[in-house]
Coordinates of all heavy atoms in Angstrom, one line a residue:
M3 N -30.8 46.8 40.0 CA -30.2 46.0 41.1 C -30.3 44.5 40.7 O -29.4 43.8 41.0 CB -30.8 46.3 42.4 CG -30.1 45.8 43.6 SD -29.0 46.9 44.3 CE -29.3 46.6 46.0
S4 N -31.5 44.1 40.2 CA -31.6 42.7 40.0 C -30.8 42.2 38.8 O -30.4 41.1 38.7 CB -33.1 42.3 39.7 OG -33.6 43.0 38.6
I5 N -30.5 43.1 37.8 CA -29.7 42.7 36.7 C -28.2 42.5 37.2 O -27.6 41.5 36.8 CB -29.7 43.8 35.6 CG1 -31.1 43.9 34.9 CG2 -28.6 43.5 34.5 CD1 -31.2 45.0 33.9
K6 N -27.8 43.3 38.1 CA -26.5 43.2 38.7 C -26.4 41.8 39.4 O -25.4 41.1 39.4 CB -26.3 44.3 39.7 CG -24.9 44.8 39.8 CD -24.7 45.8 40.9 CE -24.3 47.1 40.4 NZ -24.1 48.1 41.4
N7 N -27.4 41.4 40.2 CA -27.4 40.1 40.8 C -27.4 38.9 39.9 O -26.7 37.9 40.1 CB -28.7 40.0 41.8 CG -28.6 40.9 43.0 OD1 -27.5 41.3 43.3 ND2 -29.7 41.1 43.6
V8 N -28.1 39.1 38.8 CA -28.2 38.0 37.8 C -26.7 37.9 37.1 O -26.2 36.7 37.0 CB -29.2 38.3 36.7 CG1 -29.1 37.3 35.5 CG2 -30.6 38.2 37.3
L9 N -26.1 39.0 36.8 CA -24.8 39.0 36.2 C -23.8 38.4 37.2 O -22.9 37.6 36.8 CB -24.4 40.3 35.7 CG -25.1 40.9 34.5 CD1 -24.7 42.3 34.2 CD2 -24.9 40.0 33.3
L10 N -23.8 38.8 38.4 CA -23.0 38.3 39.5 C -23.1 36.8 39.6 O -22.2 36.0 39.7 CB -23.2 39.0 40.8 CG -22.3 38.6 42.0 CD1 -20.8 38.8 41.6 CD2 -22.7 39.3 43.2
G11 N -24.4 36.3 39.7 CA -24.7 34.9 39.8 C -24.2 34.1 38.6 O -23.6 33.0 38.7
A12 N -24.3 34.6 37.4 CA -23.8 34.0 36.2 C -22.3 33.9 36.2 O -21.7 32.9 35.9 CB -24.3 34.7 35.0
T13 N -21.6 34.9 36.7 CA -20.2 34.9 36.8 C -19.7 33.9 37.8 O -18.8 33.1 37.5 CB -19.7 36.3 37.3 OG1 -20.1 37.3 36.3 CG2 -18.2 36.4 37.3
V14 N -20.3 33.8 38.9 CA -20.0 32.8 39.9 C -20.2 31.4 39.4 O -19.3 30.5 39.5 CB -20.7 33.0 41.3 CG1 -20.5 31.9 42.2 CG2 -20.3 34.4 41.9
L15 N -21.4 31.2 38.8 CA -21.7 29.9 38.2 C -20.7 29.5 37.1 O -20.2 28.3 37.1 CB -23.1 29.9 37.7 CG -23.5 28.5 37.0 CD1 -23.5 27.4 38.0 CD2 -24.9 28.7 36.4
G16 N -20.3 30.4 36.3 CA -19.3 30.2 35.2 C -18.0 29.8 35.7 O -17.3 28.9 35.3
T17 N -17.6 30.5 36.9 CA -16.3 30.2 37.5 C -16.3 28.8 38.1 O -15.3 28.1 37.9 CB -16.0 31.3 38.6 OG1 -16.0 32.6 38.0 CG2 -14.7 31.0 39.2
V18 N -17.4 28.4 38.7 CA -17.5 27.0 39.4 C -17.4 26.0 38.2 O -16.7 25.0 38.4 CB -18.7 26.9 40.2 CG1 -19.0 25.5 40.6 CG2 -18.6 27.9 41.4
V19 N -18.2 26.2 37.2 CA -18.2 25.2 36.1 C -16.8 25.1 35.5 O -16.4 24.0 35.2 CB -19.3 25.6 35.1 CG1 -19.2 24.7 33.8 CG2 -20.7 25.4 35.7
V20 N -16.2 26.2 35.1 CA -14.9 26.1 34.5 C -13.9 25.5 35.5 O -13.0 24.8 35.1 CB -14.5 27.6 34.1 CG1 -13.0 27.6 33.6 CG2 -15.3 28.1 32.9
G21 N -14.0 25.8 36.8 CA -13.1 25.3 37.8 C -13.2 23.8 37.8 O -12.3 23.0 37.9
G22 N -14.5 23.3 37.7 CA -14.7 21.8 37.7 C -14.1 21.2 36.5 O -13.6 20.1 36.6
V23 N -14.2 21.8 35.4 CA -13.6 21.2 34.2 C -12.1 21.1 34.3 O -11.5 20.2 33.9 CB -14.1 22.0 32.9 CG1 -13.3 21.5 31.7 CG2 -15.6 21.8 32.7
A24 N -11.5 22.2 34.9 CA -10.1 22.2 35.0 C -9.6 21.1 35.9 O -8.6 20.5 35.7 CB -9.6 23.6 35.5
V25 N -10.3 20.8 37.0 CA -10.0 19.7 37.9 C -10.0 18.4 37.2 O -9.1 17.6 37.3 CB -10.9 19.8 39.2 CG1 -10.7 18.4 40.0 CG2 -10.6 21.0 40.0
D26 N -11.1 18.2 36.4 CA -11.3 16.9 35.7 C -10.1 16.8 34.6 O -9.6 15.7 34.5 CB -12.6 16.8 35.0 CG -13.8 16.7 36.0 OD1 -13.5 16.3 37.1 OD2 -14.9 16.9 35.6
T27 N -9.8 17.8 33.9 CA -8.8 17.7 32.9 C -7.4 17.5 33.6 O -6.6 16.7 33.0 CB -8.7 19.1 32.1 OG1 -10.0 19.3 31.6 CG2 -7.7 19.0 31.0
A28 N -7.1 18.1 34.7 CA -5.8 17.9 35.4 C -5.7 16.4 35.9 O -4.6 15.9 35.9 CB -5.7 18.8 36.6
A29 N -6.8 15.8 36.2 CA -6.7 14.4 36.7 C -6.6 13.4 35.6 O -6.2 12.3 35.8 CB -8.0 14.1 37.6
A30 N -7.0 13.8 34.4 CA -7.1 12.8 33.3 C -5.7 12.2 32.8 O -5.7 11.0 32.6 CB -7.7 13.4 32.0
P31 N -4.6 12.9 32.8 CA -3.4 12.3 32.4 C -2.9 11.2 33.3 O -2.1 10.3 32.9 CB -2.3 13.5 32.4 CG -3.2 14.7 32.2 CD -4.5 14.4 32.9
E32 N -3.3 11.2 34.6 CA -2.9 10.1 35.5 C -3.5 8.8 35.2 O -3.0 7.8 35.5 CB -3.2 10.5 36.9 CG -2.5 11.8 37.4 CD -2.9 12.2 38.8 OE1 -3.6 11.5 39.5 OE2 -2.5 13.3 39.1
A33 N -4.7 8.8 34.6 CA -5.4 7.6 34.2 C -4.9 7.1 32.9 O -5.4 7.5 31.9 CB -6.9 7.8 34.2
K34 N -4.0 6.1 32.9 CA -3.4 5.6 31.6 C -3.9 4.1 31.5 O -3.7 3.3 32.4 CB -1.9 5.6 31.6 CG -1.4 7.1 31.6 CD 0.1 7.0 31.6 CE 0.7 8.4 31.7 NZ 2.1 8.5 31.8
A35 N -4.5 3.8 30.4 CA -4.9 2.4 30.1 C -3.9 1.9 29.0 O -3.6 2.5 28.0 CB -6.3 2.4 29.5
T36 N -3.4 0.7 29.3 CA -2.4 0.1 28.4 C -3.1 -1.1 27.7 O -3.7 -1.9 28.4 CB -1.2 -0.4 29.2 OG1 -0.6 0.7 29.9 CG2 -0.1 -1.0 28.2
A37 N -3.1 -1.2 26.4 CA -3.6 -2.3 25.7 C -2.6 -3.4 25.7 O -1.4 -3.2 25.4 CB -3.9 -1.8 24.2
C38 N -3.0 -4.6 26.0 CA -2.2 -5.8 26.0 C -2.0 -6.3 24.7 O -1.0 -6.9 24.3 CB -2.7 -6.8 27.0 SG -2.6 -6.4 28.7
W39 N -3.1 -6.3 23.9 CA -3.1 -6.9 22.5 C -3.6 -6.0 21.5 O -4.4 -5.1 21.9 CB -3.9 -8.2 22.5 CG -3.5 -9.1 23.7 CD1 -2.3 -9.6 24.0 CD2 -4.4 -9.5 24.8 NE1 -2.4 -10.3 25.2 CE2 -3.7 -10.3 25.7 CE3 -5.8 -9.2 25.0 CZ2 -4.2 -10.8 26.8 CZ3 -6.3 -9.7 26.2 CH2 -5.5 -10.6 27.1
G40 N -3.2 -6.2 20.3 CA -3.8 -5.3 19.2 C -3.6 -5.9 17.9 O -3.0 -7.0 17.7
Q41 N -4.0 -5.3 16.9 CA -3.9 -5.7 15.4 C -4.5 -7.1 15.3 O -3.9 -7.9 14.6 CB -2.5 -5.7 15.0 CG -1.8 -4.2 15.1 CD -0.4 -4.2 14.8 OE1 0.0 -4.9 13.8 NE2 0.4 -3.5 15.5
I42 N -5.7 -7.3 15.9 CA -6.3 -8.7 16.0 C -7.1 -8.8 14.8 O -8.0 -8.0 14.5 CB -7.0 -8.9 17.3 CG1 -6.1 -8.7 18.5 CG2 -7.7 -10.2 17.3 CD1 -6.8 -8.6 19.8
T43 N -6.9 -9.9 14.1 CA -7.8 -10.3 12.9 C -8.2 -11.8 13.2 O -7.9 -12.3 14.2 CB -7.0 -10.2 11.6 OG1 -5.9 -11.2 11.6 CG2 -6.4 -8.9 11.4
A44 N -8.9 -12.3 12.2 CA -9.4 -13.7 12.4 C -8.2 -14.7 12.3 O -8.4 -15.9 12.7 CB -10.4 -14.0 11.3
S45 N -7.1 -14.3 11.9 CA -6.0 -15.3 11.8 C -4.7 -15.0 12.6 O -3.9 -15.8 12.8 CB -5.5 -15.3 10.3 OG -5.1 -14.1 9.9
K46 N -4.7 -13.8 13.3 CA -3.5 -13.5 14.1 C -3.8 -12.3 15.0 O -4.8 -11.6 14.9 CB -2.3 -13.1 13.2 CG -2.5 -11.8 12.4 CD -1.3 -11.6 11.5 CE -1.5 -10.3 10.7 NZ -0.4 -9.9 9.9
G47 N -2.9 -12.1 16.0 CA -3.0 -11.0 16.9 C -1.6 -10.7 17.5 O -0.8 -11.6 17.7
K48 N -1.3 -9.5 17.8 CA 0.0 -9.1 18.4 C -0.1 -8.9 19.9 O -1.0 -8.3 20.4 CB 0.5 -7.8 17.8 CG 1.9 -7.4 18.3 CD 2.6 -6.6 17.3 CE 4.1 -6.5 17.9 NZ 4.8 -5.5 17.2
N49 N 0.9 -9.5 20.6 CA 1.0 -9.4 22.1 C 1.9 -8.2 22.3 O 3.1 -8.3 22.0 CB 1.4 -10.7 22.7 CG 1.4 -10.6 24.1 OD1 0.8 -9.8 24.8 ND2 2.1 -11.6 24.8
Y50 N 1.5 -7.2 23.0 CA 2.3 -6.1 23.4 C 3.1 -6.4 24.6 O 2.8 -7.4 25.3 CB 1.5 -4.8 23.5 CG 0.9 -4.4 22.1 CD1 -0.4 -4.0 22.1 CD2 1.6 -4.3 21.0 CE1 -1.0 -3.6 20.9 CE2 1.0 -4.0 19.8 CZ -0.4 -3.6 19.8 OH -0.9 -3.2 18.6
T51 N 3.9 -5.5 25.1 CA 4.7 -5.7 26.3 C 3.9 -5.5 27.6 O 3.0 -4.7 27.6 CB 6.0 -4.8 26.2 OG1 6.8 -5.2 27.3 CG2 5.6 -3.4 26.4
G52 N 4.4 -6.2 28.6 CA 3.9 -6.0 30.0 C 2.7 -6.7 30.4 O 2.2 -6.5 31.5
C53 N 2.1 -7.6 29.5 CA 0.9 -8.3 29.8 C 1.1 -9.8 29.9 O 0.1 -10.5 30.1 CB -0.2 -7.9 28.8 SG -0.7 -6.2 28.8
G54 N 2.3 -10.3 29.9 CA 2.5 -11.7 29.9 C 2.3 -12.4 28.6 O 2.0 -11.7 27.6
R55 N 2.3 -13.7 28.6 CA 2.1 -14.4 27.3 C 0.6 -14.5 26.9 O -0.2 -14.4 27.8 CB 2.6 -15.9 27.5 CG 4.1 -15.9 27.7 CD 4.7 -17.3 28.0 NE 3.7 -18.3 28.4 CZ 3.7 -19.6 28.1 NH1 4.7 -20.0 27.4 NH2 2.8 -20.4 28.6
A56 N 0.3 -14.5 25.7 CA -1.1 -14.5 25.1 C -1.2 -15.4 24.0 O -0.2 -15.8 23.3 CB -1.5 -13.1 24.8
R57 N -2.4 -15.7 23.6 CA -2.6 -16.6 22.4 C -3.9 -16.1 21.7 O -4.9 -15.7 22.3 CB -2.6 -18.0 22.6 CG -3.8 -18.6 23.5 CD -3.6 -20.0 23.9 NE -3.0 -20.8 22.9 CZ -2.8 -22.1 23.1 NH1 -3.1 -22.7 24.2 NH2 -2.2 -22.9 22.2
H58 N -3.9 -16.3 20.4 CA -5.1 -15.9 19.6 C -6.1 -17.0 19.6 O -5.7 -18.2 19.8 CB -4.6 -15.7 18.1 CG -5.6 -15.2 17.2 ND1 -6.4 -16.1 16.5 CD2 -6.0 -14.0 16.8 CE1 -7.3 -15.4 15.7 NE2 -7.0 -14.1 16.0
F59 N -7.4 -16.8 19.5 CA -8.4 -17.8 19.4 C -9.5 -17.5 18.4 O -9.7 -16.3 18.0 CB -9.0 -18.0 20.7 CG -10.0 -16.9 21.1 CD1 -11.4 -17.0 20.8 CD2 -9.6 -15.8 21.9 CE1 -12.2 -16.0 21.1 CE2 -10.4 -14.9 22.2 CZ -11.8 -14.9 21.8
N60 N -10.1 -18.5 17.9 CA -11.3 -18.4 17.0 C -12.3 -19.3 17.7 O -12.0 -20.5 18.1 CB -11.1 -18.9 15.6 CG -10.3 -17.9 14.7 OD1 -10.5 -16.7 14.9 ND2 -9.5 -18.4 13.9
R61 N -13.5 -18.8 17.9 CA -14.7 -19.6 18.3 C -15.5 -19.8 17.1 O -16.0 -18.8 16.6 CB -15.4 -19.0 19.5 CG -16.5 -19.9 20.0 CD -17.3 -19.3 21.2 NE -17.9 -18.0 20.9 CZ -19.1 -17.9 20.3 NH1 -19.7 -18.9 19.9 NH2 -19.6 -16.7 20.1
L62 N -15.7 -21.0 16.7 CA -16.5 -21.3 15.5 C -18.0 -21.3 15.9 O -18.3 -21.3 17.1 CB -16.1 -22.7 14.9 CG -14.6 -22.8 14.6 CD1 -14.4 -24.3 14.0 CD2 -14.1 -21.8 13.7
A63 N -18.8 -21.2 14.9 CA -20.3 -21.2 15.1 C -20.8 -22.4 15.9 O -21.7 -22.3 16.6 CB -21.0 -21.0 13.7
S64 N -20.1 -23.5 15.7 CA -20.4 -24.7 16.4 C -20.1 -24.7 17.9 O -20.5 -25.6 18.7 CB -19.8 -25.9 15.8 OG -18.4 -25.8 16.0
G65 N -19.3 -23.7 18.3 CA -18.8 -23.6 19.7 C -17.4 -24.1 19.9 O -16.8 -23.9 20.9
T66 N -16.9 -24.7 18.9 CA -15.6 -25.3 19.0 C -14.5 -24.1 19.0 O -14.6 -23.1 18.2 CB -15.2 -26.1 17.7 OG1 -16.2 -27.1 17.7 CG2 -13.9 -26.8 17.8
M67 N -13.5 -24.3 19.9 CA -12.5 -23.3 20.1 C -11.2 -23.8 19.3 O -10.9 -24.9 19.4 CB -12.1 -23.0 21.5 CG -13.2 -22.5 22.4 SD -13.7 -20.8 21.9 CE -12.3 -19.9 22.4
K68 N -10.7 -22.9 18.6 CA -9.4 -23.1 17.8 C -8.4 -22.2 18.3 O -8.6 -20.9 18.3 CB -9.6 -23.0 16.3 CG -10.6 -23.9 15.7 CD -10.2 -25.3 15.9 CE -11.2 -26.3 15.2 NZ -10.8 -27.7 15.3
W69 N -7.2 -22.6 18.8 CA -6.2 -21.8 19.4 C -5.0 -21.6 18.5 O -4.6 -22.5 17.9 CB -5.8 -22.5 20.7 CG -6.9 -22.5 21.7 CD1 -7.7 -23.7 21.9 CD2 -7.4 -21.5 22.5 NE1 -8.7 -23.3 22.9 CE2 -8.5 -22.0 23.3 CE3 -7.0 -20.2 22.8 CZ2 -9.2 -21.3 24.2 CZ3 -7.7 -19.5 23.7 CH2 -8.8 -20.0 24.4
G70 N -4.5 -20.4 18.5 CA -3.2 -20.1 17.9 C -2.0 -20.3 18.7 O -2.1 -20.8 19.8
S71 N -0.9 -20.0 18.2 CA 0.4 -20.1 18.9 C 0.5 -19.2 20.1 O -0.2 -18.1 20.1 CB 1.5 -19.9 18.0 OG 1.5 -18.6 17.5
V72 N 1.3 -19.6 21.2 CA 1.4 -18.7 22.3 C 2.5 -17.7 21.9 O 3.5 -18.0 21.4 CB 2.0 -19.5 23.5 CG1 2.3 -18.7 24.7 CG2 0.8 -20.5 23.9
A73 N 2.2 -16.4 22.3 CA 3.1 -15.3 21.9 C 3.6 -14.7 23.2 O 2.8 -14.3 24.1 CB 2.4 -14.3 21.0
S74 N 4.9 -14.4 23.3 CA 5.5 -13.6 24.3 C 5.4 -12.1 24.0 O 4.8 -11.8 23.0 CB 6.9 -14.0 24.6 OG 7.7 -13.9 23.4
D75 N 6.0 -11.3 24.8 CA 6.0 -9.8 24.5 C 6.5 -9.5 23.1 O 7.5 -10.1 22.7 CB 6.9 -9.1 25.5 CG 6.3 -9.1 26.9 OD1 5.1 -9.6 27.1 OD2 7.0 -8.7 27.9
H76 N 5.9 -8.5 22.5 CA 6.3 -8.1 21.1 C 6.2 -9.2 20.1 O 7.0 -9.1 19.1 CB 7.6 -7.4 21.1 CG 7.7 -6.2 22.0 ND1 7.0 -5.0 21.8 CD2 8.4 -6.0 23.2 CE1 7.3 -4.2 22.8 NE2 8.1 -4.7 23.6
A77 N 5.4 -10.1 20.2 CA 5.4 -11.2 19.3 C 3.9 -11.4 18.8 O 3.0 -10.9 19.4 CB 5.9 -12.5 19.9
W78 N 3.8 -12.2 17.7 CA 2.5 -12.5 17.1 C 2.1 -13.9 17.5 O 2.8 -14.8 17.5 CB 2.6 -12.4 15.6 CG 2.8 -11.0 15.1 CD1 4.0 -10.4 14.9 CD2 1.8 -10.1 14.7 NE1 3.8 -9.1 14.4 CE2 2.4 -8.9 14.3 CE3 0.4 -10.2 14.7 CZ2 1.7 -7.8 13.9 CZ3 -0.3 -9.1 14.2 CH2 0.3 -7.9 13.8
S79 N 0.7 -14.1 17.6 CA 0.1 -15.3 17.8 C -0.6 -15.6 16.4 O -1.4 -14.8 16.1 CB -0.9 -15.3 18.9 OG -1.6 -16.6 19.0
Y80 N -0.3 -16.7 15.8 CA -0.9 -17.1 14.5 C -1.8 -18.3 14.6 O -1.5 -19.2 15.4 CB 0.2 -17.3 13.5 CG 1.1 -16.2 13.1 CD1 2.2 -16.0 13.7 CD2 0.6 -15.2 12.2 CE1 3.0 -14.9 13.4 CE2 1.4 -14.2 11.9 CZ 2.6 -14.0 12.5 OH 3.4 -12.9 12.2
E81 N -2.9 -18.3 13.9 CA -3.7 -19.5 13.7 C -3.0 -20.5 12.8 O -2.3 -20.0 11.9 CB -5.1 -19.1 13.1 CG -6.0 -18.4 14.0 CD -6.5 -19.2 15.2 OE1 -6.7 -20.4 15.0 OE2 -6.7 -18.6 16.3
Q82 N -3.2 -21.7 13.0 CA -2.5 -22.7 12.1 C -3.2 -23.0 10.9 O -2.7 -23.7 10.0 CB -2.2 -24.0 12.9 CG -1.3 -23.7 14.1 CD -1.1 -25.0 14.9 OE1 -1.5 -26.1 14.6 NE2 -0.5 -24.8 16.1
A83 N -4.5 -22.6 10.7 CA -5.3 -22.9 9.6 C -6.3 -21.8 9.4 O -6.6 -21.0 10.4 CB -6.0 -24.2 9.7
C84 N -6.9 -21.7 8.3 CA -8.0 -20.7 8.1 C -9.3 -21.5 8.4 O -9.5 -22.6 7.8 CB -8.1 -20.3 6.6 SG -6.7 -19.2 6.2
W85 N -10.1 -20.9 9.2 CA -11.4 -21.5 9.6 C -12.6 -20.8 9.0 O -12.6 -19.6 8.8 CB -11.5 -21.5 11.1 CG -10.4 -22.1 11.9 CD1 -9.3 -21.4 12.4 CD2 -10.0 -23.5 12.0 NE1 -8.4 -22.3 13.0 CE2 -8.8 -23.6 12.7 CE3 -10.7 -24.6 11.6 CZ2 -8.2 -24.8 13.0 CZ3 -10.1 -25.8 11.9 CH2 -8.9 -25.9 12.6
S86 N -13.6 -21.6 8.7 CA -14.9 -21.0 8.2 C -15.8 -21.0 9.3 O -15.7 -21.7 10.4 CB -15.4 -21.8 7.0 OG -15.7 -23.1 7.4
N87 N -16.9 -20.2 9.2 CA -18.0 -20.1 10.2 C -17.4 -19.6 11.6 O -17.8 -20.1 12.6 CB -18.7 -21.4 10.4 CG -19.4 -21.8 9.2 OD1 -20.0 -21.0 8.5 ND2 -19.4 -23.1 8.9
I88 N -16.6 -18.6 11.6 CA -16.0 -18.0 12.8 C -17.1 -17.1 13.4 O -17.6 -16.1 12.7 CB -14.7 -17.2 12.5 CG1 -13.6 -18.2 12.0 CG2 -14.3 -16.5 13.8 CD1 -12.4 -17.5 11.5
A89 N -17.4 -17.4 14.6 CA -18.4 -16.5 15.4 C -17.8 -15.5 16.1 O -18.3 -14.4 16.4 CB -19.3 -17.4 16.3
Q90 N -16.5 -15.7 16.6 CA -15.8 -14.7 17.5 C -14.3 -15.0 17.4 O -13.9 -16.2 17.2 CB -16.3 -14.9 18.9 CG -15.6 -13.9 19.9 CD -16.0 -14.2 21.3 OE1 -16.4 -15.3 21.6 NE2 -15.9 -13.2 22.2
Y91 N -13.5 -14.0 17.4 CA -12.0 -14.2 17.5 C -11.5 -13.1 18.4 O -12.1 -12.1 18.7 CB -11.4 -14.1 16.1 CG -11.6 -12.8 15.4 CD1 -10.7 -11.8 15.6 CD2 -12.6 -12.7 14.4 CE1 -10.9 -10.6 14.9 CE2 -12.8 -11.5 13.8 CZ -11.9 -10.4 14.0 OH -12.1 -9.3 13.3
G92 N -10.3 -13.4 18.9 CA -9.6 -12.4 19.8 C -8.3 -13.0 20.4 O -7.8 -13.9 19.9
M93 N -7.9 -12.4 21.5 CA -6.7 -12.8 22.3 C -7.1 -13.0 23.7 O -7.9 -12.3 24.2 CB -5.6 -11.7 22.1 CG -5.2 -11.4 20.8 SD -3.9 -12.5 20.2 CE -2.5 -12.1 21.2
V94 N -6.4 -13.9 24.4 CA -6.5 -14.1 25.8 C -5.1 -14.5 26.4 O -4.2 -14.8 25.6 CB -7.5 -15.3 26.1 CG1 -8.9 -15.0 25.7 CG2 -7.0 -16.6 25.5
R95 N -5.1 -14.3 27.7 CA -3.8 -14.7 28.4 C -3.6 -16.2 28.2 O -4.4 -17.0 28.3 CB -3.9 -14.3 29.8 CG -3.9 -12.9 30.1 CD -3.6 -12.6 31.6 NE -4.0 -11.2 31.8 CZ -3.2 -10.2 31.6 NH1 -2.0 -10.3 31.1 NH2 -3.5 -8.9 31.9
A96 N -2.3 -16.6 28.0 CA -1.9 -18.0 27.8 C -1.5 -18.6 29.1 O -0.9 -17.9 30.0 CB -0.8 -18.1 26.8

């Protein structure tokens, strides 16, 4: 009798666990994250659609900020020169 209870309990637990995973999986497609920028290097970055204008930047080790051109949708932001001692680079809204 106790083996039957253990098997029944395992079956119920397995059904609840699988049901929970199914609910999480069904909700996942609704959560869509859109990247605004991509293909970012130390000298350029691409502005994708739907995020407004953006520009590339380099922060030098001294703290000085160097800004690239402003890019609209589906366009590139380019640095005007090659910089040394780059501590950080990326894209921001313009």
